[in-house]
Coordinates of all heavy atoms in Angstrom, one line a residue:
R74 N 2.9 27.1 19.4 CA 4.2 26.4 19.1 C 5.4 27.3 19.2 O 5.3 28.5 18.8 CB 4.1 25.7 17.8 CG 3.0 24.7 17.6 CD 2.9 24.2 16.2 NE 4.0 23.2 16.0 CZ 4.0 21.9 16.3 NH1 2.9 21.4 16.9 NH2 5.0 21.2 16.1
D75 N 6.5 26.8 19.6 CA 7.7 27.6 19.6 C 8.1 28.0 18.2 O 7.9 27.2 17.3 CB 8.9 26.8 20.2 CG 8.8 26.6 21.7 OD1 8.0 27.4 22.3 OD2 9.4 25.7 22.2
G76 N 8.5 29.3 18.0 CA 8.9 29.7 16.7 C 7.9 30.6 16.0 O 8.2 31.2 14.9
F77 N 6.6 30.6 16.5 CA 5.6 31.4 15.9 C 5.3 32.6 16.8 O 5.2 32.4 18.0 CB 4.3 30.6 15.6 CG 4.5 29.6 14.4 CD1 5.0 28.4 14.6 CD2 4.1 30.0 13.2 CE1 5.1 27.5 13.6 CE2 4.2 29.1 12.1 CZ 4.8 27.9 12.3
A78 N 5.0 33.7 16.2 CA 4.7 34.9 17.0 C 3.9 35.9 16.1 O 4.4 36.4 15.1 CB 5.9 35.6 17.5
G79 N 2.7 36.2 16.5 CA 1.9 37.2 15.8 C 1.1 36.7 14.6 O 1.4 35.6 14.1
I80 N 0.1 37.5 14.2 CA -0.7 37.2 13.1 C -0.6 38.2 12.0 O -0.4 39.4 12.3 CB -2.2 37.1 13.5 CG1 -2.5 35.8 14.4 CG2 -3.2 37.1 12.3 CD1 -3.9 35.8 14.9
M81 N -0.6 37.8 10.7 CA -0.7 38.7 9.6 C -2.2 38.5 9.1 O -2.5 37.5 8.6 CB 0.3 38.4 8.5 CG 0.1 39.3 7.3 SD 1.5 39.0 6.1 CE 2.8 39.9 6.8
S82 N -3.0 39.6 9.2 CA -4.4 39.5 8.9 C -4.6 40.0 7.5 O -3.7 40.6 6.8 CB -5.2 40.3 9.9 OG -4.8 41.6 9.9
F83 N -5.9 40.0 7.0 CA -6.2 40.4 5.6 C -7.2 41.5 5.5 O -7.3 42.1 4.5 CB -6.4 39.2 4.7 CG -7.6 38.4 5.0 CD1 -8.8 38.6 4.3 CD2 -7.6 37.4 6.0 CE1 -9.9 37.7 4.6 CE2 -8.6 36.6 6.2 CZ -9.8 36.7 5.6
T84 N -8.0 41.7 6.5 CA -8.9 42.9 6.5 C -8.9 43.5 7.9 O -8.6 42.9 8.9 CB -10.4 42.5 6.1 OG1 -11.0 41.9 7.2 CG2 -10.5 41.7 4.9
L85 N -9.3 44.8 7.9 CA -9.4 45.5 9.2 C -10.5 44.9 10.1 O -10.3 44.7 11.3 CB -9.6 47.0 9.0 CG -9.7 47.8 10.3 CD1 -8.4 47.7 11.1 CD2 -9.9 49.3 9.9
A86 N -11.6 44.5 9.5 CA -12.7 43.9 10.3 C -12.2 42.6 11.0 O -12.5 42.3 12.1 CB -13.9 43.6 9.4
E87 N -11.5 41.8 10.2 CA -10.9 40.5 10.8 C -10.0 40.9 11.9 O -9.9 40.2 12.9 CB -10.2 39.8 9.6 CG -9.6 38.4 10.1 CD -8.3 38.0 9.4 OE1 -7.8 38.9 8.7 OE2 -7.9 36.9 9.6
S88 N -9.1 41.9 11.7 CA -8.1 42.2 12.7 C -8.8 42.6 14.0 O -8.3 42.2 15.1 CB -7.3 43.4 12.2 OG -6.7 43.1 10.9
L89 N -9.8 43.4 13.9 CA -10.5 43.8 15.1 C -11.2 42.7 15.8 O -11.2 42.5 17.1 CB -11.5 44.9 14.8 CG -11.0 46.2 14.2 CD1 -12.1 47.2 13.9 CD2 -9.9 46.8 15.0
W90 N -11.8 41.8 15.0 CA -12.4 40.6 15.6 C -11.4 39.7 16.3 O -11.7 39.2 17.4 CB -13.1 39.8 14.4 CG -13.8 38.5 14.8 CD1 -14.8 38.4 15.7 CD2 -13.5 37.2 14.3 NE1 -15.2 37.0 15.7 CE2 -14.4 36.3 14.9 CE3 -12.6 36.8 13.4 CZ2 -14.4 35.0 14.6 CZ3 -12.6 35.4 13.0 CH2 -13.4 34.5 13.7
L91 N -10.3 39.5 15.7 CA -9.2 38.6 16.3 C -8.7 39.3 17.6 O -8.5 38.6 18.6 CB -8.1 38.4 15.3 CG -8.4 37.5 14.1 CD1 -7.2 37.5 13.1 CD2 -8.7 36.1 14.6
A92 N -8.5 40.6 17.5 CA -8.0 41.3 18.7 C -9.1 41.2 19.9 O -8.7 41.0 21.0 CB -7.7 42.8 18.4
R93 N -10.3 41.3 19.6 CA -11.4 41.2 20.6 C -11.4 39.7 21.1 O -11.9 39.5 22.2 CB -12.7 41.6 20.0 CG -12.9 43.1 19.8 CD -14.3 43.4 19.5 NE -14.5 44.8 19.0 CZ -14.5 45.1 17.8 NH1 -14.5 44.2 16.8 NH2 -14.6 46.4 17.4
S94 N -11.0 38.8 20.3 CA -11.0 37.4 20.7 C -9.8 37.0 21.5 O -9.7 35.9 22.0 CB -11.0 36.5 19.4 OG -12.1 36.8 18.6
G95 N -8.9 38.0 21.8 CA -7.7 37.7 22.6 C -6.4 37.6 21.9 O -5.4 37.4 22.6
F96 N -6.4 37.6 20.6 CA -5.1 37.5 19.8 C -4.4 38.9 20.0 O -5.0 39.9 20.0 CB -5.4 37.2 18.4 CG -5.8 35.8 18.1 CD1 -7.2 35.5 18.0 CD2 -4.9 34.8 18.0 CE1 -7.6 34.2 17.8 CE2 -5.4 33.5 17.8 CZ -6.7 33.2 17.7
E97 N -3.1 38.8 20.0 CA -2.3 40.0 20.1 C -1.3 40.1 19.0 O -1.1 39.2 18.3 CB -1.5 40.0 21.5 CG -2.4 40.0 22.7 CD -1.6 39.8 24.0 OE1 -0.4 39.6 23.9 OE2 -2.2 40.0 25.0
D98 N -0.8 41.3 18.8 CA 0.2 41.5 17.7 C -0.3 41.1 16.3 O 0.2 40.1 15.7 CB 1.5 40.8 18.1 CG 2.7 41.1 17.1 OD1 2.5 42.1 16.3 OD2 3.7 40.4 17.2
I99 N -1.3 41.9 15.8 CA -1.9 41.6 14.6 C -1.5 42.6 13.5 O -1.7 43.8 13.7 CB -3.4 41.6 14.7 CG1 -3.9 40.6 15.8 CG2 -4.1 41.3 13.4 CD1 -5.3 40.8 16.3
L100 N -0.8 42.2 12.5 CA -0.4 43.0 11.4 C -1.3 42.9 10.2 O -1.4 41.8 9.6 CB 1.1 42.7 11.0 CG 1.6 43.4 9.7 CD1 1.6 44.9 9.9 CD2 3.0 42.8 9.4
L101 N -2.0 44.0 9.9 CA -2.9 44.0 8.8 C -2.1 44.2 7.5 O -1.4 45.2 7.3 CB -3.9 45.1 8.9 CG -4.9 45.4 7.7 CD1 -5.7 44.1 7.4 CD2 -5.8 46.5 8.0

Side-chain angles (χ1 to χ4, degrees):
R74 302 178 71 85
D75 290 342
F77 287 87
I80 288 176
M81 177 175 282
S82 59
F83 62 100
T84 73
L85 182 55
E87 180 213 14
S88 305
L89 301 179
W90 177 61
L91 290 174
R93 291 193 189 94
S94 301
F96 291 94
E97 300 175 348
D98 189 10
I99 301 163
L100 171 61
L101 174 57

